[in-house]
Amino acid sequence: MIGNPRTLTVGVYVNTMDHRKVDTIFMEIEKTEDPQKLQEFFGQLYKDLSVHAEAEEQIVYPAVRSYYTDTQELYNEQAEMKQMLAKIKALNPSSSDFKAQIQQLKAAVQAHVKEEENDMFPQIRRNFSEAQMEQMATQFKAAKSTIQQEMAKMS
C-alpha cells in the first residue's frame, strides 16, 4: 500500500511508485503464456529494474550510507538482481526455465523492496529534512532520465 502521497516524502513516493509498477509487470508476466507478450513484459521489466537500480546506486544509497547500516547489502542485492536479469535475458521466453527464473527474480525483488520500504525509507524520513528529500527525489528522477537516454542509445 502506498498510502497518502502527502504523508510520504516526495523521494520515497517516487521510489514506491517504481516498486508498484514492477509488481504490476510481474503480475502481467504471470498471467500470460504467450512468448511474444512474455518477451515484451520482460523487456519492460528489464529496463525499469535496470534504470531504477542504477539511479538508486548513484543517488539514494550514497546519500543514506551514513544513516543506514545495511547499504552494502542493498548494493549486493542489486548486483544479484542484475545477474538474474542478464540470465533471463539470454533465455527464450518459450523455454520452460523462463518463468521459473522470473519467479526467482520476483522473490529477490520483493525482498529487496520490503527492506527498502520497511527499513531504509523510515531512516530517510528520520534523518533528512523535507528539502533534502525533495532534492534527492529531483536527483533520482534526473538520474533515471539520463540512464534511460543512455539505454535508448545502446539499443
Side-chain angles (χ1 to χ4, degrees):
M1 185 171 112
I2 306 167
N4 181 338
R6 279 172 269 162
T7 64
L8 294 172
T9 63
V10 175
V12 169
Y13 183 68
V14 168
N15 212 321
T16 303
M17 292 304 295
D18 282 357
H19 293 168
R20 297 298 83 82
K21 182 180 179 191
V22 167
D23 286 344
T24 301
I25 298 170
F26 276 122
M27 286 190 317
E28 292 297 332
I29 288 172
E30 289 170 356
K31 288 193 299 192
T32 190
E33 295 300 324
D34 179 337
Q36 185 175 346
K37 285 186 177 182
L38 286 170
Q39 188 67 49
E40 288 173 23
F41 290 134
F42 176 72
Q44 186 64 49
L45 185 69
Y46 182 91
K47 185 177 84 171
D48 288 355
L49 286 174
S50 297
V51 168
H52 179 90
E54 187 64 33
E56 280 184 330
E57 290 170 11
Q58 288 179 17
I59 306 300
V60 180
Y61 297 168
V64 302
R65 186 177 281 279
S66 62
Y67 300 106
Y68 186 64
T69 56
D70 291 332
T71 308
Q72 189 57 50
E73 183 180 331
L74 295 173
Y75 279 109
N76 295 346
E77 290 169 359
Q78 301 226 119
E80 180 183 345
M81 179 198 69
K82 289 174 187 177
Q83 290 175 338
M84 294 170 93
L85 283 168
K87 183 177 181 181
I88 297 167
K89 189 176 184 180
L91 293 173
N92 185 323
S94 55
S95 136
S96 60
D97 201 28
F98 189 84
K99 277 199 160 180
Q101 292 295 320
I102 291 282
Q103 284 303 314
Q104 288 180 8
L105 175 65
K106 179 182 176 183
V109 168
Q110 286 177 332
H112 180 80
V113 164
K114 183 178 177 185
E115 181 177 352
E116 285 185 350
E117 292 183 2
N118 294 341
D119 300 333
M120 184 181 75
F121 291 175
Q123 289 293 327
I124 290 172
R125 285 190 289 267
R126 278 195 288 276
N127 291 288
F128 287 76
S129 69
E130 194 65 37
Q132 288 171 315
M133 288 185 277
E134 286 189 27
Q135 180 182 11
M136 185 168 34
T138 300
Q139 291 171 340
F140 181 75
K141 287 189 276 187
K144 281 179 56 179
S145 179
T146 300
I147 296 160
Q148 286 167 340
Q149 291 169 5
E150 290 169 2
M151 283 180 80
K153 287 178 194 170
M154 294 170 64
S155 57

